């Protein structure tokens, strides 16, 4: 037996679908509070010392947290090449906006405190705000558009084609449902950032973060509920009409896809997935309660559970679809027809099983070493060395 045949092709496809979700959730759980802190910065810090306190809660860890974003992009490229080709070619202006924000953020971290000028520092503070708020919003908008489907079709040679001019591809993303999901994403990460600041800071910074996080947490829950109602009543779903060939070649055009009344038919077919939105609501609700009660570690953990539940809700609701097509449903990408080869997925899995535990162990060690609050005294006494 050939070694990679120890795990069947269809099982490997599901494993890599799940691993892609793990990487995206890992990014939201770690870099999510970095973005949340950046977006909250002008509002939780009313003077230079308070803002430096907030910045230094994430200063030592934000670079490591972005590893999850790089891993997610790499996994899409290597494990799901058609998804990489279709999404990056159609959403490249949105991707550019996100990358521009991610470029501005490290520059702001490094240069903000290099000059004493208050004008200089205020400008970089708002750059950190944009570097956190813009990606949080755009990622949600992207999810909203994935749920609705993208306006692409595949040629006979599997070349992806999009309708409309290049600028309309970006403006078309900003539709009402996608913007609602974007607001949910932004509010969710603001709440996560607030929970982090409550844990890692003190005094006025923690108090303001607690008050803002309470409000954004409520907005997250209301927005998540409205998105679910809209998805049930106003957004068509997709379903495979042909026989599922789970171990066949990666060619979406071999499948027949039809539009359905709603994505929520998945909950009648797989009732157990209701646990995902329950986790989303429960985790966020308990995080809001923790913010109001003054809890620290528990609030952050509940916030993580809420994020896990909300992101999982999208993936489980859409399964096996990854990116549907509104122009030609038969071009829609699914778990069964848009992956890399059997051998490639197997090799990637072996590499992941070796290196993922190392990444998790190192990350855990870093957080253990850096455990503790950032205080005003820390910033004042080390003003020449901290951010």
């Amino acid at each position: 037996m050939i070694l990679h045949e120890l795990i069947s092709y269809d099982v490997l496809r599901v494993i890599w679908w799940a691993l892609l979700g793990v990487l995206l959730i890992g990014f939201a759980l770690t870099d999510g509070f970095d973005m949340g802190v950046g977006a909250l910065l002008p509002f939780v810090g009313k003077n230079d010392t308070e803002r430096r306190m907030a910045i230094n809660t994430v200063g030592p860890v934000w670079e490591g947290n972005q590893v999850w974003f790089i891993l997610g992009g790499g996994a899409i490229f290597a494990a799901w090449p058609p998804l990489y080709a279709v999404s990056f070619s159609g959403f490249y202006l949105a991707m550019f906006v996100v990358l521009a924000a991610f470029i501005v953020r490290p520059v702001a971290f490094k240069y903000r405190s290099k000059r004493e000028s208050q004008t200089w520092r205020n400008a970089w503070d708002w750059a950190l705000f944009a570097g956190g708020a813009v990606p949080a919003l755009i990622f949600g908008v992207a999810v909203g558009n994935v749920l609705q489907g993208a306006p692409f079709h595949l040629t006979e040679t599997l070349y992806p084609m999009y309708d409309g001019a290049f600028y309309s591809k970006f403006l078309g993303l900003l539709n009402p449902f996608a913007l609602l999901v974007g607001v949910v994403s932004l509010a969710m990460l603001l709440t996560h950032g607030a929970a982090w600041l409550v844990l890692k800071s003190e005094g006025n910074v923690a108090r303001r973060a607690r008050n803002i996080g309470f409000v954004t947490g409520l907005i997250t829950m209301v927005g998540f509920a409205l998105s679910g109602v809209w998805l049930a009543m106003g957004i068509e779903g997709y379903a495979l009409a042909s026989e599922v060939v789970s171990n066949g070649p990666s060619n979406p055009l071999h499948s027949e896809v039809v539009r359905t009344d709603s994505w929520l038919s998945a909950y009648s077919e797989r009732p157990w997935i209701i646990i995902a939105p329950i986790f989303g609501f429960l985790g966020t609700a308990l995080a809001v309660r923790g913010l109001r009660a003054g809890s620290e570690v528990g609030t952050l953990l509940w916030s993580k559970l809420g994020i896990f539940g909300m992101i999982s809700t999208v993936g489980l609701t859409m399964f096996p679809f990854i990116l549907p097509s509104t122009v030609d449903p038969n071009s829609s990408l699914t778990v069964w027809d848009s992956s890399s080869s059997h051998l490639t997925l197997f090799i990637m899995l072996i590499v992941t099983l070796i290196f993922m535990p190392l990444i998790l162990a190192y990350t855990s060690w870093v957080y253990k070493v850096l455990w503790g609050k950032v205080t005003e005294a820390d910033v004042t006494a080390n003003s020449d060395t901290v951010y």
Side-chain angles (χ1 to χ4, degrees), residues 4 23 60-62 71 76 80 162 167 213 231-234 246 250 254 257 276 304 307 310 313 317 328 337 383:
H4 70 271
L23 293 174
V61 297
W62 69 268
L71 290 174
I76 293 175
W80 307 100
Y162 275 81
Y167 55 84
L231 195 65
M233 302 180 65
S246 58
S250 288
H254 288 176
V257 177
K304 290 180 182 293
I307 292 173
M310 291 185 186
T313 296
T317 299
D328 176 22
D337 55 28
S383 61

Side-chain angles (χ1 to χ4, degrees), residues 174-214:
L174 305 178
N175 57 78
F177 176 75
L179 287 173
L180 173 60
V181 179
V183 169
V184 174
S185 173
L186 176 59
M188 177 180 72
L189 295 187
L190 286 174
T191 306
H192 199 42
W196 176 258
L197 284 173
V198 168
L199 174 67
K200 293 289 291 181
S201 66
E202 61 179 16
N204 289 329
V205 173
R207 177 180 57 79
R208 296 186 189 112
R210 185 178 293 111
N211 292 335
I212 295 173
F214 178 79

